[in-house]
Amino acid sequence: MLKILDRYIIKTFFGPFFFIFSVLFFIFIVNIIWVQLGQFMGKGLSYWQILKLLFYLGVSVISMVLPLTILLASIMSFGEFGERYELAAMKAAGISLTRVMAPLLGVATVLAVMLFFFSNNIIPDFQKKAKNMLFNIAQTKPALNFTPGQFIDQLPGYMVKFDKIYGDNGEHIEGVFVHKKASTYENQRSIVAEKGRFVPIANKNFLKLELYNGYILEDNFAGKGENVRKKQPDQAIKFDTLVSHFDVSEIVNKAIEKEQITDDYRFQTYGQLNATVAKNKKDNADFFTNIGTDVLSRTNSVISYMDKNVKSKAAPKSQIKLDTIKGDKKMELLYNSYNNLESLKTTAADKKNEFSSNIKYFSKVVIYQQRIISYSVTCIIFFLIGASLGSIIRKGGMGLPVIIAIIIFIIFYVMNLGIENVAWGGKMSPYLAAWLPNLILLPFGVWMTYKALTDSQLFDAEKYKAFFKPVTKLFVKTKEHTRYQ
């Protein structure tokens, strides 16, 4: 059973925890909205679909929000304990700082374990839903996202092209071509119009299009034999105004969450990623071996070609120099050899780029897998840093603790990005890259905990002035008091 002190400490911690988590989650969601705003606009999405997509995207940010929340909440909690002299009272009663930190360390550990299972079992599924929704929005919402001058064949049963699209909402069009898809033995129908416009209607399952000054070109081949088809004339019907409705219900209602992408590594659990990493290692090893064999083979073919052309002009045992070959033959030999060498050089460069791409992909998979665990460990490290800093600065609220927490998190985030880019370039092991920020912050967390346990005056300005006083005296001239001059 938890003691009264433990319950009080945990209650004090979870007060700011839920508030900070909500604020940070909202901030990350706003960032996602800002980044993805272009994909939401003009797509005919309902509010429910947008909220669902934001929820799917937002779930993945919890792995970054939770460690920062623990850091900030622990700084604020222990800062409040120090500011209200509760830490001093606990120490006076014989309760050490280690005993005060113990219940929250247990809470941080539980949250870290929960984050691991959440990242391993829940986030991959939501990543799959979010990516497929984004893909389907881009691919199956063309009715309001036509590209001028390009044929669009994603409207069910039709091929369309517009030469010009303009207007506040892109509702006006010029140079219209609409072709109904049909088999060889069905009636073929095409519509050509000078201009037109999209008309909004209440039923979102249909797209209404008004066309002006055009022709309907249609043949009447359905059910007729080949001889009759050859003699059947085409029909051209001129119109001043033509209203067409396109049924897009399949696109609007069904395809938005259809899972078409299933092979992304971010959709896999930690155990499944082990198989992906092993397969990637084998593929990279085979690829590297094939590169060596291919380059060596092509190099030998170039040498054999040059050697063949040289030896064809002399006795087998004699040593032939290039200068002994006649002019035309020499130029041909040099030209062909140069082309072969250039081809070999291009092949080697292409293989290098391809191998670099494989290394980058392998690093991404490994880093993603290892961060499922490393971000959980980050929660514990951030708690050690936050609790120690809070007990040292003895300042609660949203002022100084927030600034310190943001600085620490920015350092952690920048280290993550920088080391990740180095690993992508193949200059660092991806396993080390995933864990290096934690390995750097862990000694700092242990040192901060030691300083807190020994009541160190880490932020005492007078202490630092005294420490640097011998240095500052060298640059400051001591003035004699005017009374004694």
Side-chain angles (χ1 to χ4, degrees), residues 207-249:
L207 176 67
K208 184 178 180 180
L209 182 62
E210 286 187 1
L211 302 177
Y212 312 108
N213 300 329
Y215 292 88
I216 299 175
L217 306 174
E218 186 175 15
D219 54 36
N220 190 17
F221 290 163
K224 296 183 178 181
E226 185 176 354
N227 294 332
V228 179
R229 291 166 60 86
K230 291 180 180 179
K231 299 177 182 179
Q232 177 70 38
D234 294 338
Q235 299 178 10
I237 304 174
K238 188 179 186 303
F239 62 84
D240 294 326
T241 302
L242 177 67
V243 178
S244 297
H245 289 81
F246 300 93
D247 185 359
V248 292
S249 58

mmCIF file of all heavy atoms in Angstrom, residues 207-249:
data_model
loop_
_atom_site.group_PDB
_atom_site.id
_atom_site.type_symbol
_atom_site.label_atom_id
_atom_site.label_comp_id
_atom_site.label_asym_id
_atom_site.label_seq_id
_atom_site.Cartn_x
_atom_site.Cartn_y
_atom_site.Cartn_z
ATOM 1 N N LEU A 207 -20.746 14.678 -58.820
ATOM 2 C CA LEU A 207 -20.055 15.870 -59.298
ATOM 3 C C LEU A 207 -20.842 16.417 -60.487
ATOM 4 O O LEU A 207 -21.047 15.709 -61.477
ATOM 5 C CB LEU A 207 -18.628 15.512 -59.716
ATOM 6 C CG LEU A 207 -17.796 16.641 -60.331
ATOM 7 C CD1 LEU A 207 -17.506 17.703 -59.289
ATOM 8 C CD2 LEU A 207 -16.498 16.089 -60.892
ATOM 9 N N LYS A 208 -21.300 17.653 -60.377
ATOM 10 C CA LYS A 208 -22.111 18.270 -61.436
ATOM 11 C C LYS A 208 -21.231 19.170 -62.290
ATOM 12 O O LYS A 208 -20.516 20.035 -61.775
ATOM 13 C CB LYS A 208 -23.264 19.069 -60.820
ATOM 14 C CG LYS A 208 -24.214 19.679 -61.860
ATOM 15 C CD LYS A 208 -25.352 20.409 -61.173
ATOM 16 C CE LYS A 208 -26.305 21.028 -62.196
ATOM 17 N NZ LYS A 208 -27.421 21.757 -61.552
ATOM 18 N N LEU A 209 -21.333 19.005 -63.623
ATOM 19 C CA LEU A 209 -20.513 19.761 -64.551
ATOM 20 C C LEU A 209 -21.405 20.352 -65.641
ATOM 21 O O LEU A 209 -22.128 19.622 -66.321
ATOM 22 C CB LEU A 209 -19.447 18.848 -65.180
ATOM 23 C CG LEU A 209 -18.463 19.480 -66.148
ATOM 24 C CD1 LEU A 209 -17.632 20.552 -65.444
ATOM 25 C CD2 LEU A 209 -17.545 18.417 -66.737
ATOM 26 N N GLU A 210 -21.378 21.680 -65.780
ATOM 27 C CA GLU A 210 -22.096 22.374 -66.846
ATOM 28 C C GLU A 210 -21.108 22.762 -67.938
ATOM 29 O O GLU A 210 -20.103 23.430 -67.670
ATOM 30 C CB GLU A 210 -22.795 23.631 -66.310
ATOM 31 C CG GLU A 210 -24.032 23.338 -65.483
ATOM 32 C CD GLU A 210 -24.786 24.613 -65.116
ATOM 33 O OE1 GLU A 210 -24.326 25.699 -65.541
ATOM 34 O OE2 GLU A 210 -25.800 24.520 -64.413
ATOM 35 N N LEU A 211 -21.401 22.346 -69.191
ATOM 36 C CA LEU A 211 -20.527 22.624 -70.323
ATOM 37 C C LEU A 211 -21.240 23.519 -71.318
ATOM 38 O O LEU A 211 -22.462 23.423 -71.504
ATOM 39 C CB LEU A 211 -20.111 21.312 -70.998
ATOM 40 C CG LEU A 211 -19.391 20.291 -70.098
ATOM 41 C CD1 LEU A 211 -19.099 19.010 -70.876
ATOM 42 C CD2 LEU A 211 -18.107 20.870 -69.533
ATOM 43 N N TYR A 212 -20.462 24.392 -72.012
ATOM 44 C CA TYR A 212 -21.038 25.351 -72.951
ATOM 45 C C TYR A 212 -20.311 25.279 -74.292
ATOM 46 O O TYR A 212 -19.088 25.119 -74.346
ATOM 47 C CB TYR A 212 -20.940 26.783 -72.389
ATOM 48 C CG TYR A 212 -21.411 26.920 -70.962
ATOM 49 C CD1 TYR A 212 -20.513 27.126 -69.927
ATOM 50 C CD2 TYR A 212 -22.769 26.831 -70.648
ATOM 51 C CE1 TYR A 212 -20.940 27.242 -68.614
ATOM 52 C CE2 TYR A 212 -23.211 26.949 -69.342
ATOM 53 C CZ TYR A 212 -22.294 27.156 -68.324
ATOM 54 O OH TYR A 212 -22.719 27.264 -67.025
ATOM 55 N N ASN A 213 -21.106 25.407 -75.371
ATOM 56 C CA ASN A 213 -20.578 25.506 -76.735
ATOM 57 C C ASN A 213 -19.663 24.326 -77.061
ATOM 58 O O ASN A 213 -18.445 24.457 -77.128
ATOM 59 C CB ASN A 213 -19.806 26.817 -76.940
ATOM 60 C CG ASN A 213 -20.665 28.039 -76.709
ATOM 61 O OD1 ASN A 213 -21.885 28.001 -76.952
ATOM 62 N ND2 ASN A 213 -20.057 29.115 -76.221
ATOM 63 N N GLY A 214 -20.269 23.182 -77.304
ATOM 64 C CA GLY A 214 -19.469 22.004 -77.606
ATOM 65 C C GLY A 214 -20.206 20.989 -78.453
ATOM 66 O O GLY A 214 -21.291 21.250 -78.985
ATOM 67 N N TYR A 215 -19.574 19.802 -78.548
ATOM 68 C CA TYR A 215 -20.124 18.714 -79.357
ATOM 69 C C TYR A 215 -20.070 17.408 -78.565
ATOM 70 O O TYR A 215 -19.132 17.180 -77.784
ATOM 71 C CB TYR A 215 -19.325 18.538 -80.650
ATOM 72 C CG TYR A 215 -19.466 19.686 -81.627
ATOM 73 C CD1 TYR A 215 -18.623 20.791 -81.544
ATOM 74 C CD2 TYR A 215 -20.438 19.645 -82.620
ATOM 75 C CE1 TYR A 215 -18.742 21.842 -82.448
ATOM 76 C CE2 TYR A 215 -20.565 20.702 -83.535
ATOM 77 C CZ TYR A 215 -19.715 21.791 -83.435
ATOM 78 O OH TYR A 215 -19.835 22.821 -84.314
ATOM 79 N N ILE A 216 -21.075 16.570 -78.808
ATOM 80 C CA ILE A 216 -21.066 15.194 -78.315
ATOM 81 C C ILE A 216 -20.748 14.298 -79.511
ATOM 82 O O ILE A 216 -21.505 14.266 -80.492
ATOM 83 C CB ILE A 216 -22.424 14.796 -77.707
ATOM 84 C CG1 ILE A 216 -22.766 15.708 -76.521
ATOM 85 C CG2 ILE A 216 -22.384 13.339 -77.258
ATOM 86 C CD1 ILE A 216 -24.146 15.443 -75.955
ATOM 87 N N LEU A 217 -19.640 13.600 -79.465
ATOM 88 C CA LEU A 217 -19.208 12.713 -80.536
ATOM 89 C C LEU A 217 -19.464 11.283 -80.095
ATOM 90 O O LEU A 217 -18.891 10.827 -79.096
ATOM 91 C CB LEU A 217 -17.724 12.935 -80.841
ATOM 92 C CG LEU A 217 -17.319 14.385 -81.144
ATOM 93 C CD1 LEU A 217 -15.813 14.492 -81.287
ATOM 94 C CD2 LEU A 217 -18.012 14.896 -82.388
ATOM 95 N N GLU A 218 -20.340 10.588 -80.826
ATOM 96 C CA GLU A 218 -20.742 9.261 -80.386
ATOM 97 C C GLU A 218 -20.920 8.338 -81.591
ATOM 98 O O GLU A 218 -21.379 8.761 -82.659
ATOM 99 C CB GLU A 218 -22.054 9.342 -79.597
ATOM 100 C CG GLU A 218 -22.484 8.023 -78.977
ATOM 101 C CD GLU A 218 -23.724 8.182 -78.099
ATOM 102 O OE1 GLU A 218 -24.370 9.237 -78.223
ATOM 103 O OE2 GLU A 218 -24.020 7.279 -77.319
ATOM 104 N N ASP A 219 -20.503 7.073 -81.433
ATOM 105 C CA ASP A 219 -20.799 6.055 -82.447
ATOM 106 C C ASP A 219 -21.845 5.096 -81.886
ATOM 107 O O ASP A 219 -22.060 5.052 -80.680
ATOM 108 C CB ASP A 219 -19.538 5.306 -82.888
ATOM 109 C CG ASP A 219 -18.798 4.711 -81.702
ATOM 110 O OD1 ASP A 219 -19.473 4.271 -80.738
ATOM 111 O OD2 ASP A 219 -17.555 4.663 -81.714
ATOM 112 N N ASN A 220 -22.463 4.338 -82.748
ATOM 113 C CA ASN A 220 -23.528 3.435 -82.333
ATOM 114 C C ASN A 220 -23.139 2.012 -82.738
ATOM 115 O O ASN A 220 -23.709 1.438 -83.661
ATOM 116 C CB ASN A 220 -24.852 3.848 -82.976
ATOM 117 C CG ASN A 220 -26.036 3.099 -82.398
ATOM 118 O OD1 ASN A 220 -25.935 2.511 -81.326
ATOM 119 N ND2 ASN A 220 -27.151 3.097 -83.111
ATOM 120 N N PHE A 221 -22.121 1.469 -82.057
ATOM 121 C CA PHE A 221 -21.559 0.183 -82.442
ATOM 122 C C PHE A 221 -22.072 -0.978 -81.591
ATOM 123 O O PHE A 221 -21.833 -2.132 -81.904
ATOM 124 C CB PHE A 221 -20.032 0.216 -82.317
ATOM 125 C CG PHE A 221 -19.373 1.092 -83.342
ATOM 126 C CD1 PHE A 221 -18.072 1.507 -83.170
ATOM 127 C CD2 PHE A 221 -20.058 1.492 -84.479
ATOM 128 C CE1 PHE A 221 -17.458 2.301 -84.125
ATOM 129 C CE2 PHE A 221 -19.454 2.288 -85.441
ATOM 130 C CZ PHE A 221 -18.140 2.699 -85.261
ATOM 131 N N ALA A 222 -22.707 -0.705 -80.489
ATOM 132 C CA ALA A 222 -23.044 -1.745 -79.535
ATOM 133 C C ALA A 222 -23.916 -2.822 -80.176
ATOM 134 O O ALA A 222 -24.960 -2.523 -80.774
ATOM 135 C CB ALA A 222 -23.756 -1.143 -78.325
ATOM 136 N N GLY A 223 -23.509 -4.077 -80.084
ATOM 137 C CA GLY A 223 -24.305 -5.205 -80.551
ATOM 138 C C GLY A 223 -24.326 -5.399 -82.050
ATOM 139 O O GLY A 223 -25.131 -6.199 -82.547
ATOM 140 N N LYS A 224 -23.478 -4.717 -82.806
ATOM 141 C CA LYS A 224 -23.504 -4.819 -84.260
ATOM 142 C C LYS A 224 -22.252 -5.545 -84.763
ATOM 143 O O LYS A 224 -21.187 -5.459 -84.141
ATOM 144 C CB LYS A 224 -23.605 -3.438 -84.894
ATOM 145 C CG LYS A 224 -24.918 -2.733 -84.550
ATOM 146 C CD LYS A 224 -25.052 -1.405 -85.239
ATOM 147 C CE LYS A 224 -26.396 -0.753 -84.903
ATOM 148 N NZ LYS A 224 -26.584 0.549 -85.578
ATOM 149 N N GLY A 225 -22.391 -6.220 -85.870
ATOM 150 C CA GLY A 225 -21.291 -6.969 -86.446
ATOM 151 C C GLY A 225 -20.220 -6.073 -87.012
ATOM 152 O O GLY A 225 -20.398 -4.865 -87.168
ATOM 153 N N GLU A 226 -19.106 -6.719 -87.386
ATOM 154 C CA GLU A 226 -17.959 -5.957 -87.851
ATOM 155 C C GLU A 226 -18.251 -5.221 -89.157
ATOM 156 O O GLU A 226 -17.842 -4.069 -89.329
ATOM 157 C CB GLU A 226 -16.766 -6.893 -88.037
ATOM 158 C CG GLU A 226 -15.484 -6.164 -88.413
ATOM 159 C CD GLU A 226 -14.305 -7.101 -88.491
ATOM 160 O OE1 GLU A 226 -14.459 -8.294 -88.149
ATOM 161 O OE2 GLU A 226 -13.234 -6.631 -88.915
ATOM 162 N N ASN A 227 -18.960 -5.861 -90.102
ATOM 163 C CA ASN A 227 -19.270 -5.214 -91.376
ATOM 164 C C ASN A 227 -20.157 -3.992 -91.176
ATOM 165 O O ASN A 227 -19.978 -2.957 -91.822
ATOM 166 C CB ASN A 227 -19.950 -6.203 -92.322
ATOM 167 C CG ASN A 227 -19.024 -7.330 -92.738
ATOM 168 O OD1 ASN A 227 -17.803 -7.128 -92.780
ATOM 169 N ND2 ASN A 227 -19.585 -8.498 -93.038
ATOM 170 N N VAL A 228 -21.148 -4.139 -90.299
ATOM 171 C CA VAL A 228 -22.032 -3.008 -90.023
ATOM 172 C C VAL A 228 -21.276 -1.883 -89.330
ATOM 173 O O VAL A 228 -21.495 -0.693 -89.596
ATOM 174 C CB VAL A 228 -23.238 -3.471 -89.171
ATOM 175 C CG1 VAL A 228 -24.164 -2.297 -88.845
ATOM 176 C CG2 VAL A 228 -24.006 -4.575 -89.898
ATOM 177 N N ARG A 229 -20.375 -2.271 -88.444
ATOM 178 C CA ARG A 229 -19.596 -1.276 -87.692
ATOM 179 C C ARG A 229 -18.758 -0.417 -88.635
ATOM 180 O O ARG A 229 -18.570 0.771 -88.409
ATOM 181 C CB ARG A 229 -18.692 -1.974 -86.669
ATOM 182 C CG ARG A 229 -19.454 -2.616 -85.515
ATOM 183 C CD ARG A 229 -18.559 -3.563 -84.733
ATOM 184 N NE ARG A 229 -17.417 -2.868 -84.172
ATOM 185 C CZ ARG A 229 -17.421 -2.240 -82.997
ATOM 186 N NH1 ARG A 229 -18.544 -2.208 -82.286
ATOM 187 N NH2 ARG A 229 -16.358 -1.634 -82.543
ATOM 188 N N LYS A 230 -18.219 -1.059 -89.684
ATOM 189 C CA LYS A 230 -17.396 -0.306 -90.626
ATOM 190 C C LYS A 230 -18.208 0.727 -91.394
ATOM 191 O O LYS A 230 -17.692 1.774 -91.790
ATOM 192 C CB LYS A 230 -16.724 -1.264 -91.603
ATOM 193 C CG LYS A 230 -15.654 -2.138 -90.961
ATOM 194 C CD LYS A 230 -15.033 -3.071 -91.994
ATOM 195 C CE LYS A 230 -13.952 -3.943 -91.353
ATOM 196 N NZ LYS A 230 -13.352 -4.878 -92.337
ATOM 197 N N LYS A 231 -19.513 0.437 -91.648
ATOM 198 C CA LYS A 231 -20.359 1.333 -92.431
ATOM 199 C C LYS A 231 -21.095 2.351 -91.569
ATOM 200 O O LYS A 231 -21.679 3.312 -92.081
ATOM 201 C CB LYS A 231 -21.381 0.520 -93.225
ATOM 202 C CG LYS A 231 -20.752 -0.444 -94.222
ATOM 203 C CD LYS A 231 -21.814 -1.271 -94.919
ATOM 204 C CE LYS A 231 -21.175 -2.279 -95.892
ATOM 205 N NZ LYS A 231 -22.212 -3.106 -96.553
ATOM 206 N N GLN A 232 -21.107 2.116 -90.244
ATOM 207 C CA GLN A 232 -21.886 2.989 -89.352
ATOM 208 C C GLN A 232 -21.202 4.355 -89.222
ATOM 209 O O GLN A 232 -20.046 4.440 -88.804
ATOM 210 C CB GLN A 232 -22.019 2.352 -87.968
ATOM 211 C CG GLN A 232 -22.746 3.214 -86.952
ATOM 212 C CD GLN A 232 -24.217 3.328 -87.282
ATOM 213 O OE1 GLN A 232 -24.832 2.367 -87.733
ATOM 214 N NE2 GLN A 232 -24.779 4.513 -87.072
ATOM 215 N N PRO A 233 -21.866 5.439 -89.546
ATOM 216 C CA PRO A 233 -21.241 6.769 -89.405
ATOM 217 C C PRO A 233 -21.258 7.239 -87.951
ATOM 218 O O PRO A 233 -22.115 6.842 -87.162
ATOM 219 C CB PRO A 233 -22.131 7.659 -90.273
ATOM 220 C CG PRO A 233 -23.469 7.001 -90.222
ATOM 221 C CD PRO A 233 -23.201 5.505 -90.150
ATOM 222 N N ASP A 234 -20.300 8.078 -87.610
ATOM 223 C CA ASP A 234 -20.272 8.696 -86.287
ATOM 224 C C ASP A 234 -21.336 9.783 -86.217
ATOM 225 O O ASP A 234 -21.724 10.383 -87.224
ATOM 226 C CB ASP A 234 -18.906 9.299 -86.001
ATOM 227 C CG ASP A 234 -17.835 8.227 -85.899
ATOM 228 O OD1 ASP A 234 -18.206 7.077 -85.645
ATOM 229 O OD2 ASP A 234 -16.646 8.552 -86.081
ATOM 230 N N GLN A 235 -21.781 10.055 -85.002
ATOM 231 C CA GLN A 235 -22.781 11.093 -84.773
ATOM 232 C C GLN A 235 -22.138 12.253 -84.018
ATOM 233 O O GLN A 235 -21.380 12.035 -83.080
ATOM 234 C CB GLN A 235 -23.962 10.549 -83.962
ATOM 235 C CG GLN A 235 -24.702 9.415 -84.637
ATOM 236 C CD GLN A 235 -25.836 8.883 -83.786
ATOM 237 O OE1 GLN A 235 -26.191 9.479 -82.781
ATOM 238 N NE2 GLN A 235 -26.412 7.766 -84.204
ATOM 239 N N ALA A 236 -22.431 13.447 -84.442
ATOM 240 C CA ALA A 236 -21.944 14.646 -83.768
ATOM 241 C C ALA A 236 -23.131 15.529 -83.424
ATOM 242 O O ALA A 236 -23.891 15.944 -84.318
ATOM 243 C CB ALA A 236 -20.956 15.401 -84.652
ATOM 244 N N ILE A 237 -23.322 15.797 -82.161
ATOM 245 C CA ILE A 237 -24.452 16.602 -81.688
ATOM 246 C C ILE A 237 -23.898 17.885 -81.074
ATOM 247 O O ILE A 237 -23.117 17.835 -80.121
ATOM 248 C CB ILE A 237 -25.285 15.834 -80.646
ATOM 249 C CG1 ILE A 237 -25.759 14.500 -81.222
ATOM 250 C CG2 ILE A 237 -26.453 16.677 -80.167
ATOM 251 C CD1 ILE A 237 -26.457 13.611 -80.225
ATOM 252 N N LYS A 238 -24.322 19.003 -81.649
ATOM 253 C CA LYS A 238 -23.867 20.283 -81.116
ATOM 254 C C LYS A 238 -24.788 20.730 -79.979
ATOM 255 O O LYS A 238 -25.993 20.513 -80.038
ATOM 256 C CB LYS A 238 -23.867 21.344 -82.227
ATOM 257 C CG LYS A 238 -23.219 22.667 -81.821
ATOM 258 C CD LYS A 238 -23.244 23.648 -82.974
ATOM 259 C CE LYS A 238 -22.469 24.902 -82.601
ATOM 260 N NZ LYS A 238 -22.954 25.559 -81.400
ATOM 261 N N PHE A 239 -24.226 21.336 -78.974
ATOM 262 C CA PHE A 239 -25.040 21.832 -77.857
ATOM 263 C C PHE A 239 -24.542 23.203 -77.424
ATOM 264 O O PHE A 239 -23.361 23.539 -77.584
ATOM 265 C CB PHE A 239 -25.007 20.849 -76.672
ATOM 266 C CG PHE A 239 -23.634 20.641 -76.078
ATOM 267 C CD1 PHE A 239 -23.122 21.518 -75.124
ATOM 268 C CD2 PHE A 239 -22.845 19.570 -76.484
ATOM 269 C CE1 PHE A 239 -21.876 21.324 -74.575
ATOM 270 C CE2 PHE A 239 -21.589 19.369 -75.934
ATOM 271 C CZ PHE A 239 -21.103 20.250 -74.979
ATOM 272 N N ASP A 240 -25.466 23.964 -76.879
ATOM 273 C CA ASP A 240 -25.126 25.248 -76.258
ATOM 274 C C ASP A 240 -24.815 25.057 -74.775
ATOM 275 O O ASP A 240 -23.889 25.654 -74.230
ATOM 276 C CB ASP A 240 -26.265 26.251 -76.414
ATOM 277 C CG ASP A 240 -26.490 26.628 -77.871
ATOM 278 O OD1 ASP A 240 -25.488 26.673 -78.611
ATOM 279 O OD2 ASP A 240 -27.647 26.840 -78.259
ATOM 280 N N THR A 241 -25.616 24.237 -74.124
ATOM 281 C CA THR A 241 -25.412 23.943 -72.692
ATOM 282 C C THR A 241 -25.676 22.462 -72.462
ATOM 283 O O THR A 241 -26.690 21.927 -72.943
ATOM 284 C CB THR A 241 -26.354 24.769 -71.805
ATOM 285 O OG1 THR A 241 -26.143 26.147 -72.054
ATOM 286 C CG2 THR A 241 -26.093 24.477 -70.328
ATOM 287 N N LEU A 242 -24.771 21.828 -71.735
ATOM 288 C CA LEU A 242 -24.917 20.406 -71.403
ATOM 289 C C LEU A 242 -24.599 20.219 -69.925
ATOM 290 O O LEU A 242 -23.563 20.686 -69.444
ATOM 291 C CB LEU A 242 -23.984 19.548 -72.252
ATOM 292 C CG LEU A 242 -23.987 18.042 -71.942
ATOM 293 C CD1 LEU A 242 -25.330 17.418 -72.322
ATOM 294 C CD2 LEU A 242 -22.846 17.333 -72.669
ATOM 295 N N VAL A 243 -25.491 19.553 -69.212
ATOM 296 C CA VAL A 243 -25.291 19.281 -67.780
ATOM 297 C C VAL A 243 -24.998 17.794 -67.606
ATOM 298 O O VAL A 243 -25.773 16.948 -68.056
ATOM 299 C CB VAL A 243 -26.534 19.686 -66.959
ATOM 300 C CG1 VAL A 243 -26.302 19.354 -65.484
ATOM 301 C CG2 VAL A 243 -26.812 21.168 -67.133
ATOM 302 N N SER A 244 -23.879 17.482 -66.955
ATOM 303 C CA SER A 244 -23.492 16.088 -66.720
ATOM 304 C C SER A 244 -23.273 15.866 -65.230
ATOM 305 O O SER A 244 -22.757 16.746 -64.522
ATOM 306 C CB SER A 244 -22.205 15.741 -67.477
ATOM 307 O OG SER A 244 -22.393 15.852 -68.872
ATOM 308 N N HIS A 245 -23.674 14.691 -64.763
ATOM 309 C CA HIS A 245 -23.444 14.290 -63.377
ATOM 310 C C HIS A 245 -22.544 13.059 -63.366
ATOM 311 O O HIS A 245 -22.795 12.098 -64.091
ATOM 312 C CB HIS A 245 -24.770 13.966 -62.673
ATOM 313 C CG HIS A 245 -25.614 15.172 -62.411
ATOM 314 N ND1 HIS A 245 -26.419 15.737 -63.376
ATOM 315 C CD2 HIS A 245 -25.775 15.930 -61.289
ATOM 316 C CE1 HIS A 245 -27.047 16.784 -62.868
ATOM 317 N NE2 HIS A 245 -26.676 16.924 -61.605
ATOM 318 N N PHE A 246 -21.503 13.113 -62.537
ATOM 319 C CA PHE A 246 -20.571 12.000 -62.409
ATOM 320 C C PHE A 246 -20.735 11.383 -61.029
ATOM 321 O O PHE A 246 -20.661 12.093 -60.010
ATOM 322 C CB PHE A 246 -19.127 12.468 -62.602
ATOM 323 C CG PHE A 246 -18.870 13.083 -63.953
ATOM 324 C CD1 PHE A 246 -18.988 14.453 -64.144
ATOM 325 C CD2 PHE A 246 -18.512 12.289 -65.029
ATOM 326 C CE1 PHE A 246 -18.759 15.024 -65.378
ATOM 327 C CE2 PHE A 246 -18.276 12.842 -66.270
ATOM 328 C CZ PHE A 246 -18.405 14.216 -66.446
ATOM 329 N N ASP A 247 -20.940 10.090 -60.986
ATOM 330 C CA ASP A 247 -21.104 9.377 -59.715
ATOM 331 C C ASP A 247 -19.730 9.108 -59.113
ATOM 332 O O ASP A 247 -18.938 8.336 -59.644
ATOM 333 C CB ASP A 247 -21.840 8.053 -59.951
ATOM 334 C CG ASP A 247 -22.150 7.332 -58.640
ATOM 335 O OD1 ASP A 247 -21.781 7.856 -57.574
ATOM 336 O OD2 ASP A 247 -22.766 6.249 -58.700
ATOM 337 N N VAL A 248 -19.419 9.785 -57.995
ATOM 338 C CA VAL A 248 -18.136 9.610 -57.323
ATOM 339 C C VAL A 248 -18.336 9.025 -55.931
ATOM 340 O O VAL A 248 -17.502 9.202 -55.042
ATOM 341 C CB VAL A 248 -17.376 10.957 -57.235
ATOM 342 C CG1 VAL A 248 -16.939 11.423 -58.608
ATOM 343 C CG2 VAL A 248 -18.235 12.025 -56.546
ATOM 344 N N SER A 249 -19.452 8.335 -55.716
ATOM 345 C CA SER A 249 -19.743 7.790 -54.390
ATOM 346 C C SER A 249 -18.702 6.775 -53.956
ATOM 347 O O SER A 249 -18.344 6.696 -52.775
ATOM 348 C CB SER A 249 -21.137 7.144 -54.390
ATOM 349 O OG SER A 249 -21.222 6.118 -55.365
#
